Amino acid sequence: MIRDYQAIQKTWFVKGQQRKIPTYGKNAGVKLIGILDYETGHVYCEEHDKYDAVVFLEFLKKVLSQYPKGKIVIVLDNARIHHAKLIQPFLEEMKDRLELMFLPPYSPELNLIEGLWGWLKSSVVNNVFFKSVNRVKDSIQNFIRTINKVPTATIDRLCVRM
């Protein structure tokens, strides 16, 4: 979730001239679901109003269409929707193409996409005032488009090379 309220991150200002970032008191946000291709550095993400098992199932179908050949392994946290009964028949049907790998509880540092979300927040929303959620959405999409132009930079920043 990328909130539209302003997150203060590290910043600097002239002594005695503290930086002020306005807010309008709303707590709207943008729910993102995405993948980071470890091999190519390409990022695919979608915005949703809610994030539930139906959305997750449709997302998995889109991932398969994005990568029509080969086996796909998606690393996930243990959110309930990732284990939902609704997606089990689909996973069984696609077991030769799609595998979900679940991380241990409380280990977001092991999931590359968490690094991407942190990078996005640091680059896009922290220390910035957005007048609307649509402006947040535009900035997020611009960030994704920009990093996808040089996916090797994403690999260098987020992926461990062996």
Side-chain angles (χ1 to χ4, degrees), residues 111-124:
N111 195 342
L112 297 178
I113 201 76
E114 295 297 338
L116 176 75
W117 301 145
W119 181 16
L120 183 143
K121 288 176 182 179
S122 171
S123 299
V124 174

Side-chain angles (χ1 to χ4, degrees), residues 19 27 32 47-48 76 119:
R19 185 171 184 179
N27 288 322
L32 298 174
E47 301 166 2
H48 291 276
L76 298 163
W119 181 16

Side-chain angles (χ1 to χ4, degrees), residues 27-115:
N27 288 322
V30 180
K31 290 182 174 82
L32 298 174
I33 182 172
I35 57 168
L36 165 60
D37 185 323
Y38 186 86
E39 188 175 57
T40 67
H42 183 263
V43 173
Y44 171 72
C45 78
E46 299 175 353
E47 301 166 2
H48 291 276
D49 295 328
K50 62 181 181 174
Y51 184 51
D52 60 14
V54 173
V55 169
F56 183 56
L57 177 59
E58 291 306 310
F59 179 75
L60 292 176
K61 291 175 182 178
K62 289 178 186 173
V63 168
L64 287 171
S65 69
Q66 291 270 323
Y67 297 92
K69 297 178 184 175
K71 176 102 178 197
I72 299 168
V73 177
I74 300 179
V75 178
L76 298 163
D77 62 18
N78 278 287
R80 266 193 283 180
I81 63 168
H82 297 151
H83 297 278
K85 289 180 184 177
L86 174 74
I87 67 168
Q88 297 310 314
F90 177 75
L91 293 175
E92 182 60 31
E93 180 185 332
M94 294 292 146
K95 66 183 175 189
D96 293 336
R97 290 240 25 244
L98 181 64
E99 179 181 344
L100 304 184
M101 183 179 105
F102 296 98
L103 293 172
Y106 308 107
S107 57
E109 72 281 357
L110 299 177
N111 195 342
L112 297 178
I113 201 76
E114 295 297 338

Side-chain angles (χ1 to χ4, degrees), residues 116-150:
L116 176 75
W117 301 145
W119 181 16
L120 183 143
K121 288 176 182 179
S122 171
S123 299
V124 174
V125 296
N126 289 350
N127 301 327
V128 177
F129 173 68
F130 292 96
K131 293 183 182 211
S132 70
V133 175
N134 286 336
R135 295 256 175 104
V136 177
K137 290 178 180 183
D138 292 344
S139 294
I140 289 168
Q141 290 307 316
N142 186 50
F143 174 82
I144 299 298
R145 275 192 304 274
T146 300
I147 66 170
N148 276 337
K149 288 178 183 173
V150 187

